[in-house]
Amino acid sequence: MIRVDLDVMMARRKISLTELSQKVGITMANLSILKNGRAKAVRMSTLEAICKALKCQPGDILIYEESDDPQEWVNG
């Protein structure tokens, strides 16, 4: 499973959801979905814009965690 730690990096950079939304050029609603881990996918261009705005690497906000639940292997 991939966990999104966007809120952690936002706190480190002292940037609000509103400010990040404006810098990245996506809606606050879509950014919130990503931040709360409910997104099923993220465009590479969006990930690039987020990393540029936060001055970080993708690995700083996307964390892989193994799951023992076979259902997650199928449904992701």
Side-chain angles (χ1 to χ4, degrees):
M1 166 170 95
I2 302 293
R3 187 182 79 224
V4 180
D5 267 352
L6 185 56
D7 53 342
V8 172
M9 189 55 65
M10 287 172 59
R12 286 182 184 160
R13 300 296 191 250
K14 296 179 174 79
I15 188 170
S16 69
L17 191 66
T18 303
E19 188 178 353
L20 185 60
S21 172
Q22 292 169 349
K23 286 185 176 193
V24 173
I26 63 173
T27 66
M28 284 184 35
N30 284 338
L31 194 54
S32 182
I33 287 169
L34 181 61
K35 182 175 143 295
N36 293 322
R38 295 189 316 251
K40 295 291 183 191
V42 61
R43 288 184 176 177
M44 296 300 278
S45 58
T46 301
L47 182 58
E48 182 178 357
I50 290 169
C51 288
K52 183 177 180 180
L54 295 175
K55 295 179 176 67
C56 69
Q57 295 295 313
D60 294 331
I61 56 176
L62 300 176
I63 313 297
Y64 171 73
E65 294 179 337
E66 271 195 54
S67 174
D68 293 333
D69 183 359
Q71 195 65 24
E72 284 188 18
W73 301 340
V74 175
N75 296 329

